[in-house]
Amino acid sequence: MNNNKLLEQQQSPIVVVGSGPVGTRILRDILRAQPDAAVAIYGDESWEPYDRSKLVSLLSGDLAWADLPNLSPLPDRHNAVLNYGNRIETIDRENRAVVDWKGNRQPYSKLVLAIGSNPWLPDIPGVWLPNVHAFRNVGDVRELLDNGYPGRRVVVLGGGLLGVELACGLQRKGEKACLVVSSRLLGRQLDHRAGELLVEHLQALGIEVVFGRATEIAGGRNADGETVAQAVLTFDQRQIDCDCVVLATGVNPTIDLAVKSGLATGRGIKVDDYLRTSDPLIYAAGECAEHRGRVYSLIGPGFEQADVVAQNVLGARVKYHGSAITTQLKGADIAAFSCFQEELDDAAPIRSLSYQSDDQSRYRALRLSRGRLTGVVGIGDWPEGWRIREAVRQGRRLMPWQCRRFLATGNPWSENAAASVLQWPPHATVCNCMGISRGLLDLALQQGHTSVAALQTHTKAGTGCGSCVHFLAELAGQAPTPQAVAGARPLTAASLLALALALCALLLSVPALPPLDTSLGGWHWQNLWLQNGWKQASGYSLLALSCVALLLSLRKRRSFGPLSYAGWRVVHVVGGTLALVLLAAHTGLGLGHNLDRILALDFLALALLGGAAGGLVALEGSSPTPLLRRLRGAGYWGHVLLFWPLPVLLAFHILSTYYF
């Protein structure tokens, strides 16, 4: 690294101010497109560029200092000068040069500002006490680690992504975290129900969540006589005792350099669709840029802007049309993400659809405007989440049957549709953290980066939250490890028994069992379906069991009792098996006539498809092939469709029995 050097050439270089993720992305994109380009990059921090998304992992101890990803590796042959720990003080626009803090001048042909943002600190008493920390860079992490100890009670102010991730990281580190939230948790990312589920999850991890706006950080003297923060007070007079306070209350775009240079600013540095500032030779990207009145404080849009800027400073004319707001919670032991379009027509009617799994481990919500997807929220595992995010970005239309399928299953498309990353289009985003598309990964594979580790090193994909690593494995030809279905053994046994009984009932009922000679008196098996008392007992038992099975089928949004979803699924199959036994006792395996025959055949077909679907669900965990998914889906939907006429047929059967 040539620190604090100036690039002196006949033609002035492209200068990038800012060595964060967006600035280094611009540098790499320029050198990827034009390896011999003359570029100089400046950064305030003395450290080489690192991945800020890993700072919480560094704090929690999940990541060692030596493993903090370095963003600076460049091609072996390049013509770039790296100036880290060298702050740019002014821009001499008239002479096309930047001036650093030492007074050195660096001419530029094009200038890019990727200077990011600074932590926003609430204007409340006590915010400047020595044990009140912001959380933005490596220095903040070092400070928190140097003063930390197991059992230390830390209050985190702020209910956004960083606040939640910080609270989880501190809890994993062995400290006691309390998250103080002014309104709803992840209010900009999640809807009300998703926020509630996340609160429940955090509380289960031992993290206290307090709702209330902080009005003061109360200080007191410690054993050394120093005034330090000892409590956080909220507007409702609640006092939360603490040993330390960490601020995760948002950021403000860094615009001081632009203001001093006379560039147009608002909340951020104003840019046009080409990401040019009011000076056509100066561009801005990332958290400091304001495009069409909007400032993006997320890394995904920053990377998209970086790709556009890199092309435009090299002479292209590529427009930036805004970004979908995609967020993903990391380090909280629960998958939580959202994706919303940049602009919504407030005059357009908004329709919301939501789905929650039986065990409440998965919650999903869609937002539609005039039938088109404009937003999605997800809590829990969602393998098809990539596709729904792409649909939101493109404003795809959902058909009525797709909406019904989402309400029933949580997916608007069938599970086997484009399930493999190998079927994704080139523009689809594989790694949301780093903004890496399927097309970029294909290019890396063609260049010889054919392992997961090589793809991660070359593209940085999978080095954020890690949720896309299995996609990289599939692209690299490494098969994913099958995950066993919970309760697979009892589910298999119950499903096979139900299937066998249903098949036996069908075979023995054609022809029906011959009547026995009961003239000698005594009790016979035929009394079960011939004597009125026994027949009523089996009939009402069968009716009750059918109602219980129906209730278990309809518990789409509720959870009850001590069992998990897998446990209730086994109970459902066992109940269906017992219903077959009661059916045999009630009918003697005679199918009857007219509507009674239709009722009996519907019941047996229901049991056959239910048993087949249950067995395929258990088998799919050990062999997740597309054929099994299709067969299981066909069995499931056939089972559901056959259940609908059952209550009507039962009602006619009971009415005809007692009426006639």
Side-chain angles (χ1 to χ4, degrees):
M1 179 178 67
N2 301 318
N3 196 33
N4 297 337
K5 284 190 177 181
L6 302 180
L7 197 62
E8 295 178 356
Q9 288 187 298
Q10 290 182 348
Q11 182 178 2
S12 299
I14 299 167
V15 173
V16 179
V17 179
S19 59
V22 172
T24 52
R25 174 73 165 248
I26 292 169
L27 176 63
R28 289 201 305 271
D29 284 353
I30 290 173
L31 295 178
R32 184 184 291 120
Q34 193 171 314
D36 60 345
V39 189
I41 185 169
Y42 287 80
D44 287 2
E45 297 185 57
S46 57
W47 304 280
E48 290 199 354
Y50 56 87
D51 185 355
R52 292 187 192 278
S53 69
K54 293 293 188 180
L55 290 180
V56 174
S57 298
L58 198 63
L59 176 66
S60 66
D62 297 335
L63 186 73
W65 285 98
D67 298 326
L68 185 64
N70 190 325
L71 301 180
S72 62
L74 298 174
D76 293 336
R77 303 172 115 186
H78 64 80
N79 194 20
V81 171
L82 314 177
N83 292 288
Y84 302 137
N86 193 1
R87 185 178 66 256
I88 294 297
E89 288 287 352
T90 58
I91 304 171
D92 182 353
R93 292 169 54 195
E94 185 177 351
N95 296 301
R96 298 183 186 178
V98 293
V99 183
D100 66 18
W101 65 286
K102 295 180 179 178
N104 298 317
R105 299 173 63 84
Q106 170 63 64
Y108 63 80
S109 59
K110 301 281 180 64
L111 175 63
V112 181
L113 301 179
I115 47 183
S117 58
N118 294 310
W120 179 81
L121 306 181
D123 185 17
I124 59 176
V127 76
W128 300 108
L129 291 171
N131 57 337
V132 177
H133 307 276
F135 192 87
R136 186 63 179 167
N137 55 41
V138 168
D140 298 327
V141 177
R142 287 190 185 277
E143 199 170 326
L144 283 166
L145 288 175
D146 290 344
N147 296 293
Y149 53 86
R152 179 175 67 162
R153 182 168 171 78
V154 182
V155 169
V156 178
L157 295 186
L161 280 171
L162 180 58
V164 174
E165 292 172 1
L166 262 173
C168 292
L170 289 164
Q171 196 76 8
R172 289 198 305 276
K173 185 173 176 284
E175 304 188 24
K176 296 179 180 179
C178 174
L179 190 61
V180 177
V181 186
S182 59
S183 55
R184 196 172 75 236
L185 195 65
L186 267 64
R188 294 185 177 181
Q189 290 83 27
L190 304 181
D191 62 17
H192 183 74
R193 181 56 183 154
E196 287 180 339
L197 292 173
L198 185 56
V199 169
E200 292 172 7
H201 175 75
L202 296 180
Q203 291 171 337
L205 295 177
I207 298 170
E208 184 182 359
V209 181
V210 176
F211 289 95
R213 181 172 54 84
T215 57
E216 181 181 353
I217 301 175
R221 294 191 180 278
N222 61 12
D224 299 327
E226 184 183 17
T227 301
V228 296
Q230 294 185 341
V232 171
L233 307 180
T234 64
F235 77 103
D236 57 355
Q237 305 303 311
R238 182 167 181 176
Q239 177 174 312
I240 307 162
D241 295 332
C242 62
D243 302 308
C244 171
V245 177
V246 183
L247 304 174
T249 46
V251 294
N252 276 330
T254 304
I255 62 174
D256 293 348
L257 183 60
V259 170
K260 285 194 297 184
S261 306
L263 298 175
T265 60
R267 182 164 173 250
I269 304 171
K270 292 187 175 183
V271 295
D272 62 12
D273 286 348
Y274 298 99
L275 299 180
R276 295 175 303 194
T277 67
S278 53
D279 184 327
L281 296 179
I282 303 178
Y283 295 75
E287 294 179 343
C288 67
E290 179 182 327
H291 176 255
R292 297 184 183 177
R294 189 178 192 117
V295 175
Y296 297 90
S297 298
L298 298 168
I299 192 62
F303 284 152
E304 292 177 11
Q305 292 175 0
D307 295 341
V308 170
V309 166
Q311 296 178 71
N312 287 341
V313 296
L314 291 175
R317 287 183 59 81
V318 179
K319 284 189 175 183
Y320 172 69
H321 300 287
S323 298
I325 311 301
T326 301
T327 57
Q328 185 152 342
L329 184 63
K330 298 180 282 294
D333 300 322
I334 186 173
F337 74 89
S338 66
C339 182
F340 291 94
Q341 283 186 3
E342 178 198 6
E343 294 180 356
L344 293 174
D345 183 358
D346 294 334
I350 299 298
R351 181 187 178 196
S352 295
L353 306 175
S354 63
Y355 163 86
Q356 188 164 320
S357 64
D358 296 348
D359 59 356
Q360 295 192 357
S361 64
R362 297 186 303 278
Y363 170 81
R364 300 163 184 178
L366 303 181
R367 183 174 181 175
L368 299 100
S369 176
R370 297 195 180 101
R372 296 188 181 276
L373 272 171
T374 58
V376 59
V377 168
I379 294 285
D381 182 48
W382 195 352
E384 300 84 6
W386 69 271
R387 191 177 183 193
I388 201 74
R389 285 191 289 260
E390 286 300 313
V392 170
R393 292 187 180 104
Q394 298 168 22
R396 288 269 304 278
R397 184 179 294 279
L398 277 192
M399 297 294 106
W401 57 87
Q402 293 173 325
C403 294
R404 288 195 294 271
R405 178 181 282 140
F406 173 78
L407 291 173
T409 68
N411 282 313
W413 304 286
S414 59
E415 293 184 13
N416 61 313
S420 170
V421 68
L422 300 175
Q423 302 174 29
W424 295 16
H427 64 267
T429 302
V430 177
C431 178
N432 281 286
C433 296
M434 297 298 167
I436 305 301
S437 67
R438 163 71 199 276
L440 284 175
L441 290 169
D442 284 344
L443 181 61
L445 288 167
Q446 294 168 11
Q447 294 172 346
H449 307 282
T450 54
S451 68
V452 172
L455 287 172
Q456 288 178 309
T457 300
H458 183 70
T459 67
K460 302 302 177 184
T463 60
C465 68
S467 62
C468 63
V469 170
H470 66 288
F471 292 140
L472 303 186
E474 191 173 358
L475 287 170
Q478 301 173 11
T481 304
Q483 299 293 321
V485 173
R489 289 184 179 180
L491 179 63
T492 302
S495 299
L496 290 178
L497 181 58
L499 200 58
L501 287 175
L503 284 171
C504 289
L506 277 174
L507 292 174
L508 292 175
S509 64
V510 185
L513 291 177
L516 295 176
D517 183 7
T518 60
S519 61
L520 297 177
W523 193 88
H524 300 277
W525 285 109
Q526 279 190 329
N527 292 341
L528 290 173
W529 55 86
L530 293 178
Q531 288 188 1
N532 194 44
W534 287 104
K535 191 173 181 68
Q536 282 188 332
S538 61
Y540 282 116
S541 298
L542 181 58
L543 178 63
L545 198 57
S546 299
C547 291
V548 171
L550 178 62
L551 289 174
L552 288 174
S553 298
L554 294 177
R555 51 185 297 274
K556 294 294 184 185
R557 301 171 190 273
R558 301 287 181 185
S559 180
F560 61 91
L563 296 182
S564 64
Y565 170 67
W568 286 116
R569 183 165 53 192
V570 173
V571 170
H572 180 77
V573 177
V574 170
T577 306
L578 292 176
L580 285 171
V581 175
L582 287 171
L583 179 68
H586 186 67
T587 64
L589 298 180
L591 297 183
H593 304 282
N594 302 324
L595 286 179
D596 286 347
R597 176 178 288 272
I598 295 175
L599 173 61
L601 288 173
D602 182 71
F603 204 100
L604 290 174
L606 187 70
L608 280 170
L609 288 175
L616 289 169
V617 166
L619 186 62
E620 191 179 347
S622 59
S623 180
T625 63
L627 177 61
L628 278 180
R629 285 194 291 269
R630 286 195 293 271
L631 290 174
R632 193 256 293 170
Y636 168 78
W637 282 110
H639 185 68
V640 170
L641 290 173
L642 287 171
F643 210 110
W644 281 102
L646 191 64
V648 177
L649 292 170
L650 279 171
F652 275 111
H653 174 75
I654 295 170
L655 180 64
S656 63
T657 299
Y658 284 96
Y659 183 78
F660 297 105

